């Protein structure tokens, strides 16, 4: 009698059923710091760009910084990557398409070209004018401080997700418009001198939680769905004793912990009005520059610490020897993901459905030929690309 494997028999009985295959893939996050293009122009004595066209012009000019960023991505060769601080002018995706076709699709310095046939680049809160006095300077509707997120134009400091695997566009959930005050026990900023709310009642009722956006992007990997949970919380600095940015950073991070916890997520609503978080046992990866670390900086550490210690999450704690040498005085230097000596960029997979094989931070040593790619901010970014190699499991 001829023997058949269980999978073969299932496929024969249910020919239209999709059988999830075990797949090994690499998932990365990279704050590409395209804002550095505006920074360089400003340092030359020019007015800061507020039109959003700086990136467009740079992409059309065979720009060395962008070529270096593309070379870094080609070197690591991720299957899925989140780009933070990639502007999204007018939501037309032309800059992202140009980056893919003119830089990633072309070999950089001998590296193999890389293609991402699928991408998602939704709108964000940065530079979206609220018409209110959010920054408390007495003026209403003046960018960048009165945007729902700090920015000079809509889409400034945006995000983009690139993938070699199909994205289930119809099932994407975004939380750009979720109001901060709708989070139970939200850390409302308080003026320590008056002991009153720092924001006016009008601002507090309308202020959105996410400084950019929170996205749940389902990616279909050989019959298995992996939910990419992408965000870029505000830096916990550039404020005062009320710590409004620190508290917002904390709650932006806490949002994800509530989202992955069925017992805590009922208050959450997405931009289509659907409520709740991710279902139990679904596979996910939290990606992004979270602007917080458990050991350094001004962030309220309870937020990031609670997330990293959640029993539904795996933290591989990627490291690099070059990062360690960059901060010899800091015992945590090997975990740093930014030139300015902190761990802020994270790839955090779920325990459910995913195994970690390997991890790393792209941080070449000074003696390495590729050090030229990260030697300073003008070379590429002040952040490092962080990656994990994962294997899906049924």
């Amino acid at each position: 009698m001829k023997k058949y494997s269980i999978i073969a028999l299932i496929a024969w009985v249910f020919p239209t059923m999709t059988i999830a295959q075990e797949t090994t893939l690499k998932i990365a996050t990279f704050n590409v710091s395209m804002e550095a293009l505006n920074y360089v122009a400003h340092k030359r004595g020019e007015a800061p760009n507020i039109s959003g066209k700086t990136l467009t012009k740079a992409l059309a000019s065979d720009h060395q910084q962008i070529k270096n960023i593309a070379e870094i991505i080609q070197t690591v060769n991720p299957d899925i990557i989140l780009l933070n601080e990639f502007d999204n002018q007018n939501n037309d995706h032309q800059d992202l398409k140009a980056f893919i076709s003119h830089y990633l699709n072309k070999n950089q310095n001998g590296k193999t070209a890389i293609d991402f046939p699928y991408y998602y680049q939704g709108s964000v809160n940065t530079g979206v004018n609220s018409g209110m006095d959010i920054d408390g300077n007495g003026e209403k509707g003046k960018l960048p401080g009165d945007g729902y997120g700090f920015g000079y134009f809509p889409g400034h400091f945006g995000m983009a997700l690139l993938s070699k695997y199909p994205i289930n566009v119809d099932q994407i959930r975004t939380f750009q418009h979720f109001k901060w005050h709708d989070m139970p026990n939200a850390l409302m900023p308080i003026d320590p001198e008056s002991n009153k709310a720092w924001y006016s009642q009008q601002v507090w009722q309308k202020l959105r939680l996410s400084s950019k956006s929170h996205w749940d992007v389902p990616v279909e990997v050989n019959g298995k769905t992996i939910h990419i949970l992408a965000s870029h919380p505000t830096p916990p600095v550039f404020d005062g004793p009320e710590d409004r940015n620190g508290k917002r950073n904390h709650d932006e991070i806490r949002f994800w912990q509530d989202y992955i916890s069925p017992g805590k997520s009922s208050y959450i609503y997405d931009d289509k009005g659907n409520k709740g978080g991710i279902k139990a046992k679904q596979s996910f990866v939290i990606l992004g520059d979270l602007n917080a670390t458990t050991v350094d900086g001004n962030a309220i550490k309870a937020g990031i610490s609670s997330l990293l210690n959640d029993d539904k999450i795996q933290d591989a704690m990627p490291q690099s020897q070059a990062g360690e040498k960059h901060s010899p005085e800091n015992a945590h230097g090997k975990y740093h993901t930014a030139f300015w000596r902190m761990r802020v960029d994270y790839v955090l997979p779920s325990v459910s459905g995913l195994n970690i094989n390997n991890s790393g931070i792209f941080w070449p040593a000074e003696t390495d030929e590729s050090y030229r790619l990260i030697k300073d901010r003008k070379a590429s970014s002040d952040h490092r690309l962080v990656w994990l190699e994962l294997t899906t499991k049924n």
Side-chain angles (χ1 to χ4, degrees):
M1 180 177 179
K2 190 173 183 179
K3 295 182 179 180
Y4 295 91
S5 70
I6 293 176
I7 292 178
L9 285 170
I10 293 174
W12 178 68
V13 176
F14 303 101
T16 61
M17 178 182 289
T18 300
I19 307 299
Q21 303 174 29
E22 183 180 278
T23 305
T24 297
L25 71 164
K26 191 176 287 185
I27 300 180
T29 188
F30 191 10
N31 183 330
V32 291
S33 190
M34 294 295 187
E35 170 63 11
L37 300 170
N38 297 322
Y39 173 81
V40 171
H42 183 55
K43 297 298 281 189
R44 289 200 302 265
E46 301 175 12
N49 174 59
I50 61 171
S51 70
K53 295 300 182 183
T54 297
L55 178 58
T56 302
K57 293 177 180 178
L59 285 162
S61 68
D62 200 33
H63 199 281
Q64 189 59 51
Q65 177 197 351
I66 303 177
K67 291 173 69 174
N68 289 349
I69 289 169
E71 184 177 343
I72 291 170
I73 296 173
Q74 289 175 351
T75 300
V76 176
N77 191 23
D79 296 287
I80 301 170
I81 183 169
L82 175 68
L83 306 180
N84 287 132
E85 295 193 14
F86 192 104
D87 294 342
N88 182 15
Q89 176 70 2
N90 298 325
N91 290 318
D92 60 7
H93 317 303
Q94 293 306 309
D95 289 341
L96 183 61
K97 292 177 182 178
F99 177 59
I100 294 172
S101 61
H102 300 328
Y103 291 86
L104 294 177
N105 289 169
K106 297 180 180 179
N107 77 78
Q108 303 294 337
N109 199 42
K111 299 297 188 297
T112 302
I114 186 172
D115 189 33
F116 294 101
Y118 310 98
Y119 67 83
Y120 178 72
Q121 188 182 32
S123 59
V124 292
N125 284 324
T126 36
V128 176
N129 201 327
S130 69
M132 302 181 293
D133 180 18
I134 288 181
D135 60 7
N137 67 354
E139 298 180 290
K140 294 183 178 180
K142 187 173 182 180
L143 295 177
D146 292 334
Y148 282 112
F150 184 93
Y152 283 94
F153 55 87
H156 200 189
F157 304 103
M159 307 190 297
L161 184 73
L162 310 181
S163 177
K164 295 179 182 178
Y165 292 94
I167 292 172
N168 189 337
V169 176
D170 293 337
Q171 295 300 315
I172 291 174
R173 300 183 73 191
T174 64
F175 304 88
Q176 180 186 358
H177 299 283
F178 178 86
K179 302 295 191 298
W180 189 358
H181 75 84
D182 285 332
M183 171 178 276
N185 301 311
L187 296 184
M188 183 174 67
I190 300 296
D191 181 350
E193 292 187 6
S194 66
N195 201 33
K196 296 181 180 179
W198 192 87
Y199 291 118
S200 69
Q201 185 64 15
Q202 178 197 26
V203 170
W204 182 242
Q205 289 301 310
K206 294 183 178 180
L207 188 58
R208 301 169 184 176
L209 171 65
S210 185
S211 53
K212 285 81 179 175
S213 190
H214 285 66
W215 298 340
D216 177 347
V217 183
V219 179
E220 306 299 338
V221 180
N222 293 330
K224 184 179 182 63
T225 300
I226 300 176
H227 291 258
I228 302 299
L229 308 183
S231 64
H232 184 192
T234 189
V237 290
F238 310 121
D239 50 19
E242 81 290 341
D243 196 23
R244 65 186 188 276
N245 290 334
K247 291 179 177 180
R248 189 178 190 180
N249 173 276
H250 173 280
D251 283 355
E252 286 193 72
I253 293 171
R254 182 193 142 195
F255 179 91
W256 282 137
Q257 189 171 16
D258 289 351
Y259 188 73
I260 64 173
S261 303
K264 298 179 179 179
S265 62
S266 61
Y267 72 89
I268 294 174
Y269 54 86
D270 62 28
D271 293 331
K272 294 180 179 179
N274 299 312
K275 300 198 71 174
I278 199 167
K279 295 180 181 178
K281 304 300 181 182
Q282 286 188 324
S283 299
F284 63 82
V285 180
I286 296 175
L287 277 183
D289 172 5
L290 301 187
N291 270 315
T293 175
T294 60
V295 294
D296 303 298
N298 297 315
I300 299 175
K301 296 173 178 55
I304 186 64
S305 179
S306 182
L307 181 67
L308 295 179
N309 288 302
D310 192 293
D311 60 10
K312 295 180 288 299
I313 287 175
Q314 305 177 74
D315 182 10
M317 298 189 70
Q319 55 186 278
S320 68
Q321 291 183 343
E324 185 174 23
K325 291 181 179 179
H326 179 69
S327 305
E329 76 291 345
N330 192 321
H332 301 277
K334 61 185 177 181
Y335 304 116
H336 289 172
T337 66
F339 183 81
W340 34 272
R341 296 179 169 87
M342 287 187 193
R343 183 194 184 195
V344 292
D345 305 276
Y346 295 87
V347 182
L348 302 171
S350 60
V351 171
S352 179
L354 298 169
N355 288 325
I356 298 175
N357 300 332
N358 201 358
S359 65
I361 302 167
F362 183 84
W363 198 321
E366 291 188 27
T367 54
D368 195 303
E369 185 277 334
S370 58
Y371 178 74
R372 59 185 166 77
L373 297 172
I374 55 95
K375 66 179 181 179
D376 54 32
R377 189 178 185 188
K378 294 179 184 178
S380 55
S381 172
D382 55 348
H383 290 252
R384 304 290 173 254
L385 186 154
V386 180
W387 59 269
L388 260 62
E389 183 185 270
L390 304 168
T391 297
T392 62
K393 59 183 179 180
N394 296 327

